Each structure stands twice: as structure tokens, then as C-alpha cells.
Amino acid sequence: MAEVKVPELAESITEGTIASWLKQKGDRVEQGENILELETDKVNVEVISEEAGVITELKAEEGDTVEVGQVIAIVDENGEGGGSSDSASEESKSDESKAEESKSDEGKSDKSEEKPAEDKKEEEPAKEKASESQDDDNERIVATPSARRMAREKGIDLSDINASDPRGLVRSQDVDNHSKQPAKEEAPKKEAPKAQSSGTPEKPVVREKLSRRRKTIAKRLLEVSQNTAMLTTFNEVDMTNLMELRKRKKEQFQERHDGTRLGFMSFFTKASVAALRKYPAVNAEIDGDDLILKQFFDIGVAVSTEEGLVVPVVRDAERKTFADIESDIATLAKKAQDKKLGLDDMSGGSFTITNGGVFGSLMSTPIINGTQAAILGMHTIQKRPVAVDDDKMENRPMMYIALSYDHRVIDGKEAVGFLKTIKDLVENPEDLLLEG
């Protein structure tokens, strides 16, 4: 027998939630074949079987939270695929027990002189009907086998239990916590219908459980806002020169670099690296009583997905060409949309860029990513009248940029200087060639 355990995920991740079993009990698996999908705080991870064989036991259900190193399945190397022998034996046993029960019922009907038995027969149908109706209700509730067993032993209706799991799965600890609650807490449930007695119809709503990732995003954003002295400063960039340069060179760039498109992100990434070198505190973080000044430039690029915002990282951006950066960003964005990002793709960033402009955002105050000290926000390009000199106005393509920063690490002077450096380099893109 071989045990399937939750693998080591990442230094900061100790547990995950079983999103779905790709294999079921009795299924045959090959060595290295995926058997389940595990949802973590950052990405979904597919867990493989280290041995070939037949799955004889699943030790956790979909929706269960499992820890690193926990045994979640058993694989029999000598087993054969198909139906489970255990389930077949259980079915045969149940058939035999039903046959024995029918025989005993016939024997009892012949012995009509035993009055106590007749009294019991009259009581049993009522109990069976009540228990059957309760079992039907309980079957509709998603719960682990141990939770169902404990609920039956304690005489608790599963529908009365508030599940702690975001998917609504009832576990044994939920049943235990419910049994410890005082009976008076059930009073509000009886008073609920009074709200409709006023004649005002109840408005339609849809209640959904937060996914594990959405809960993690909410938790971390709240932690950042509570544990940092976050402040945002703004500037605006005249995109005229950059847009003209891109227009002249984009076809030649694409042909020369195997179809890689020349976008704005590579310019802002290069400008950020130059500004981080000039203002190293922006590339730092606080660790207890220490300030960690990072000597590397791993730039996170925020990508929006259906499940929430993810921030894959462009490694060693200072060493890469414009084409390398554009290619990395395109690859990471595609992996994010296809849910193929790995933990290595998202860990260890030193600074983050987010572009709300792709959705039409004119101005925003981005929230710092994790333990980083700052984040740069790009916005939509909009033509506005700009004073070119004392006597002349022109319509120019302008972009607002924002820097949200931790004021405990970065002073206002440094934040303003950082944005001014970004502005100067983007407005004069040839200077970025000297920086890169």
C-alpha cells in the first residue's frame, strides 16, 4: 500500500482545500498521474500519485482543509481497477440483512399471542417515518461521514448547523461546536418570520460562500490597510513621445522578436527599475525592527482573473531587454488566465505595478502588495489640453500615475521623487535605452 500525502507547497503555505478529486475510489492511476486538485491561498496545485495502482481509500472529501504531509488517499499497487470490493461486500451484507429482517417479521406475525411485541410494532412505524424524513433532509446537506455520525449520536439536525467551511461543508468540529451552544441562541430563528408581517415583500438576493482565494485576498488587503501607514501620491505623464516611438517601431520590434508585441508595460518596468535604484527605500520592506533593502529587482505585475487578482513576478527585470520583459508578461498573463501559475511564479516580488487603465480607470489609489513598501498604479490614457508654453495649448495623451507607499519606510520627498523619475523617463523614452 502507498500513501498519497499533501506535498510541500511553499514556505508560507501550510494547508489547502481539496477543490476536486480527479480520481475516485476503485479507479486505477499511473505513476505521476494527477489524482486531485488542491486550492491554496495563491494557486491551484494538482497532486500526483507516486505509485501506480488502484485507489482503495480516500481519506478526505472535496471541500476539506488538509495540511502539508497529511495522508489523503491510499493506493494499492497490486489492486485491480473497477468497482470497490468493500462496497460490493457491504451491498451483499445489506441484502442478507434485509432478507433476515423479512424472515423475522414473518415469524413475529405468526406469534400473535406476544402482546408486548405488538405494542412495539405500533410504535416503530412512527419512529421510522420521523427518522426517514429527517434523514432525507440531512442527505441534502453536504457533510463529512464523521459529522453525520456525530449528528445522529447527538440527535442534531444537520440543517441547524452553521458550517465554518466556505463551501458549506459540515465537519465534525461544527457539530461539536453546535452541541456546546446554549439552547437560547435558537430564539432568533423563531422570530425571523415577523420581518415579513409588515407586508413589505422580501427583496431577492443571492448568497454565495467566499472562495478560499477570495477570503485570503480580503484578509491580506485588510491586514495591509491596518498594519501599514499607507499614503498615495500622484503625478501625470505626457505619453506623446512614447506613443510615437511605439507607433514607429512596433512592427519592426514584432518581426525581430518572433511576434512579441511592444507594449507600454516594458517601458514602465524599466523606468521603475531605474527609479528603484535611485530611491532604494521604495524597494524595501519592514521585518520586525529591521529594514530590509533589497538588492534585486523582481517586479510583480498585477493580472486580473475570474477568481481574483494575482501578481506573477518578472524576475531580474534589470537584466532583461524590452523584448524579454514583454515576453515574460505575456506568458505569465496567459498562465494566469489558464490557471496554470505555479507558486514560484508569484513569490518573492520586491515591487509591484498594476494597470487599472486597461479597464478604463482614470485615477485610483492601489493597495500595497503584501510586505512590499510601495506599488505603482498606471491608468487610462486620455487626451487633455496641456499648456505647451506660455502662449500655446495642445491636446496631449496624458496618463495619471499613482504611488501608494508605506510612510513608515518612505518619506514624502522620496515618493514624489520616485514618481518624478518615472515621469521623466517615460516622457523621454530614449533615456530608458541608456538606463537599460
Side-chain angles (χ1 to χ4, degrees), residues 46-202:
E46 291 180 335
V47 179
I48 65 171
S49 174
E50 299 290 345
E51 302 290 342
V54 174
I55 297 177
T56 59
E57 185 178 1
L58 300 180
K59 291 183 172 291
E61 299 181 1
E62 292 184 1
D64 282 357
T65 298
V66 291
E67 298 180 352
V68 171
Q70 180 177 334
V71 178
I72 51 178
I74 301 295
V75 175
D76 184 0
E77 299 94 323
N78 301 319
E80 296 182 358
S84 171
S85 59
D86 293 340
S87 60
S89 61
E90 288 176 1
E91 290 178 2
S92 62
K93 287 180 181 178
S94 62
D95 292 338
E96 291 175 2
S97 61
K98 288 179 181 178
E100 291 177 359
E101 288 176 0
S102 61
K103 289 180 181 179
S104 62
D105 290 341
E106 292 174 1
K108 288 180 182 178
S109 62
D110 294 338
K111 298 179 182 180
S112 58
E113 64 274 8
E114 296 181 4
K115 293 182 180 180
E118 292 178 359
D119 295 337
K120 291 180 180 179
K121 284 183 182 179
E122 293 177 358
E123 296 174 359
E124 285 175 358
K127 291 181 179 179
E128 288 176 359
K129 289 180 181 179
S131 62
E132 285 175 4
S133 62
Q134 183 174 353
D135 290 341
D136 291 341
D137 292 338
N138 287 344
E139 284 300 325
R140 298 189 187 100
I141 307 299
V142 183
T144 62
S146 59
R148 293 186 183 278
R149 183 172 59 254
M150 184 180 293
R152 285 195 299 269
E153 292 173 354
K154 295 180 178 289
I156 298 174
D157 190 348
L158 288 175
S159 61
D160 293 335
I161 298 173
N162 292 324
S164 58
D165 187 270
R167 297 171 180 263
L169 178 70
V170 178
R171 297 191 179 88
S172 56
Q173 56 264 37
D174 297 324
V175 180
D176 186 50
N177 292 336
H178 181 83
S179 64
K180 294 178 182 179
Q181 293 177 358
K184 63 182 180 181
E185 292 187 3
E186 298 181 0
K189 291 185 179 180
K190 297 179 181 179
E191 296 175 359
K194 293 181 180 179
Q196 299 179 3
S197 62
S198 62
T200 303
E202 186 176 343

Side-chain angles (χ1 to χ4, degrees), residues 268-315:
F268 277 90
T269 300
K270 281 291 188 181
S272 295
V273 170
L276 290 170
R277 281 175 166 158
K278 189 173 181 180
Y279 299 95
V282 184
N283 201 38
E285 70 175 73
I286 288 180
D287 183 17
D289 294 331
D290 297 330
L291 179 65
I292 300 176
L293 296 170
K294 299 172 184 176
Q295 303 299 306
F296 57 90
F297 304 92
D298 291 348
I299 308 300
V301 179
V303 178
S304 178
T305 69
E306 292 181 358
E307 297 182 351
L309 198 70
V310 293
V311 187
V313 178
V314 177
R315 306 288 177 188

Side-chain angles (χ1 to χ4, degrees), residues 1-17:
M1 296 290 182
E3 295 180 336
V4 179
K5 299 181 179 180
V6 179
E8 293 287 341
L9 301 171
E11 185 177 351
S12 60
I13 299 178
T14 59
E15 64 180 19
T17 300

Side-chain angles (χ1 to χ4, degrees), residues 175-281:
V175 180
D176 186 50
N177 292 336
H178 181 83
S179 64
K180 294 178 182 179
Q181 293 177 358
K184 63 182 180 181
E185 292 187 3
E186 298 181 0
K189 291 185 179 180
K190 297 179 181 179
E191 296 175 359
K194 293 181 180 179
Q196 299 179 3
S197 62
S198 62
T200 303
E202 186 176 343
K203 299 294 184 180
V205 297
V206 176
R207 184 183 296 273
E208 295 180 351
K209 292 287 185 180
L210 288 175
S211 66
R212 182 184 184 89
R213 192 166 303 159
R214 177 55 64 183
K215 288 176 67 176
T216 302
I217 291 172
K219 178 182 176 182
R220 291 183 176 174
L221 292 179
L222 188 60
E223 287 176 350
V224 169
S225 62
Q226 291 177 340
N227 297 327
T228 62
M230 193 169 68
L231 189 64
T232 306
T233 186
F234 300 90
N235 210 321
E236 61 178 351
V237 178
D238 185 346
M239 299 288 288
T240 301
N241 293 335
L242 179 54
M243 293 178 71
E244 289 179 354
L245 174 63
R246 180 173 176 269
K247 184 178 180 179
R248 291 197 315 270
K249 299 293 185 180
K250 64 178 182 180
E251 291 183 3
Q252 181 182 351
F253 184 91
Q254 191 168 349
E255 291 176 1
R256 185 172 181 179
H257 298 289
D258 300 325
T260 300
R261 296 183 179 182
L262 179 61
F264 296 131
M265 285 300 299
S266 55
F267 288 92
F268 277 90
T269 300
K270 281 291 188 181
S272 295
V273 170
L276 290 170
R277 281 175 166 158
K278 189 173 181 180
Y279 299 95

